[in-house]
Amino acid sequence: MNHLKLVINNTDFFLKKDNDFFNKTELKTILNLYAKMVSEGTWKDYGLNISKKEVSFNVYKRTSENPVIRICKNFRPSNKNLKFFISDSRGNILKMSGDLKILLEKIRWNDFKLVN
């Protein structure tokens, strides 16, 4: 019991906690896009990948394969335009932006085909 400490008003904890995942509006935007693409029959499955550096929403053709498209949020971007980006299955960055809504509106999703 000698090693317990009471920490009050630890602002670093709250700042760090908000940046650990997609916030509510970002996740809602991504899931609305996902629902639209599933209803069109383009996307089949999704998964989330969380690490210390980034969180990503991965789109799959089949669950047993690698993700075809990744929508990523970078926690420590070196440039403000690198906060959100979309990459393909090989890791190539297709588009990047500082705002998720603008990033998702710029891309014509029907041009992306999930191929074998």
Side-chain angles (χ1 to χ4, degrees):
M1 291 295 217
N2 295 336
H3 302 290
L4 296 177
K5 291 183 181 180
L6 177 63
V7 179
I8 299 173
N9 296 331
N10 189 354
T11 56
D12 293 337
F13 174 76
F14 293 111
L15 292 175
K16 185 180 177 190
K17 189 171 182 161
D18 290 342
N19 202 18
D20 284 347
F21 196 70
F22 293 114
N23 64 31
K24 186 177 180 180
T25 56
E26 294 166 352
L27 193 58
K28 181 180 177 184
T29 304
I30 293 171
L31 289 175
N32 285 340
L33 173 65
Y34 176 75
K36 176 185 165 191
M37 298 307 283
V38 167
S39 67
E40 291 177 3
T42 308
W43 291 357
K44 306 295 180 192
D45 198 9
Y46 77 94
L48 294 168
N49 186 17
I50 304 166
S51 70
K52 290 182 180 181
K53 295 181 180 180
E54 68 182 19
V55 62
S56 65
F57 185 89
N58 305 324
V59 178
Y60 296 90
K61 181 173 183 179
R62 294 182 190 90
T63 55
S64 63
E65 296 179 352
N66 291 331
V68 178
I69 297 171
R70 296 176 57 222
I71 302 170
C72 301
K73 178 181 180 180
N74 190 358
F75 296 139
R76 296 181 195 105
S78 58
N79 185 351
K80 68 178 183 175
N81 289 334
L82 295 175
K83 184 167 184 179
F84 297 100
F85 61 92
I86 297 175
S87 65
D88 62 1
S89 61
R90 297 178 187 157
N92 300 328
I93 296 177
L94 303 174
K95 294 277 185 180
M96 61 185 119
S97 177
D99 186 17
L100 181 64
K101 259 189 183 175
I102 294 171
L103 176 68
L104 297 180
E105 289 173 359
K106 276 197 247 180
I107 292 193
R108 288 190 254 158
W109 292 102
N110 294 331
D111 292 346
F112 290 109
K113 303 290 182 196
L114 303 181
V115 289
N116 290 336

